[in-house]
């Protein structure tokens, strides 16, 4: 050992002199708490935002009601980017609006090119006649309407 003046009067002592403590309980509790928080966050997301079906039907309802009321600004804000590039707000009613009052009757989900797509059925009741359309709804920076077909 080296000789010389030490900062303290005693020789340097080893830092860890006792037997190590077992911390497995702390690690298990930490991992369990992390998993529990993740599960609660996913459950909360579904609870507060709704399922994909709920979101798609809500957006389709707002979209069709805005069109029926002549509010093209709101309806145009709910279409996807590819539709914005294809049509102007003035052309929106011509492509999507049907005569009558819109009612959402249901939806179905599918995956196209590994992306989720919802097809929302809309019944347009015009007194004695009804028209059925199907809106294509995609998740694109929020839930957006991205096309329509008649008789879906």
């Amino acid at each position: 050992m080296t000789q010389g003046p030490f900062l303290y009067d005693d020789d340097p002592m080893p830092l860890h002199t006792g037997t190590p403590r077992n911390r497995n309980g702390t690690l298990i509790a930490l991992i369990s708490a992390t998993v529990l928080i993740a599960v609660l966050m996913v459950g909360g997301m579904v609870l507060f935002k709704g399922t994909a079906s709920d979101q798609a039907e809500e957006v389709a309802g707002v979209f069709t009601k805005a069109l029926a009321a002549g509010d093209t600004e709101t309806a145009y804000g709910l279409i996807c980017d590819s539709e914005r590039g294809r049509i102007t707000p003035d052309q929106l009613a011509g492509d999507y609006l049907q005569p009558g009052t819109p009612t959402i009757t249901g939806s179905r989900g599918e995956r196209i090119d590994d992306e989720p797509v919802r097809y929302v059925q809309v019944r347009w009741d015009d007194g004695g006649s009804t028209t059925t359309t199907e809106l294509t709804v995609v998740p694109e920076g929020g839930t957006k309407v991205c096309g329509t077909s008649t008789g879906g």
Side-chain angles (χ1 to χ4, degrees), residues 133-152:
T133 60
E134 189 172 67
L135 296 176
T136 304
V137 181
V138 298
E140 181 182 280
T143 307
K144 304 283 184 167
V145 175
C146 203
T148 186
S149 62
T150 306

Side-chain angles (χ1 to χ4, degrees), residues 56-65 67 75 78-79 83 92 95-98 102-109 117-124 132-138 143-152:
E57 290 177 16
E58 183 176 341
V59 165
V62 171
F63 176 78
T64 55
K65 284 184 171 69
L67 273 181
L78 293 173
I79 63 173
E83 286 293 285
L92 190 63
D95 284 7
Y96 287 92
L97 185 63
Q98 301 293 325
T103 305
I104 305 301
T105 59
S107 68
R108 62 184 171 83
V117 176
R118 300 284 314 170
Y119 296 103
V120 180
Q121 292 79 34
V122 182
R123 187 181 71 232
W124 299 82
T132 302
T133 60
E134 189 172 67
L135 296 176
T136 304
V137 181
V138 298
T143 307
K144 304 283 184 167
V145 175
C146 203
T148 186
S149 62
T150 306

Side-chain angles (χ1 to χ4, degrees), residues 12-42:
M13 300 204 43
L15 296 176
H16 303 289
T17 57
T19 58
R21 292 177 48 187
N22 188 353
R23 298 281 183 180
N24 287 342
T26 304
L27 288 175
I28 290 172
L30 184 63
I31 291 170
S32 298
T34 303
V35 169
L36 178 65
I37 289 171
V39 168
L40 290 176
M41 288 183 71
V42 169

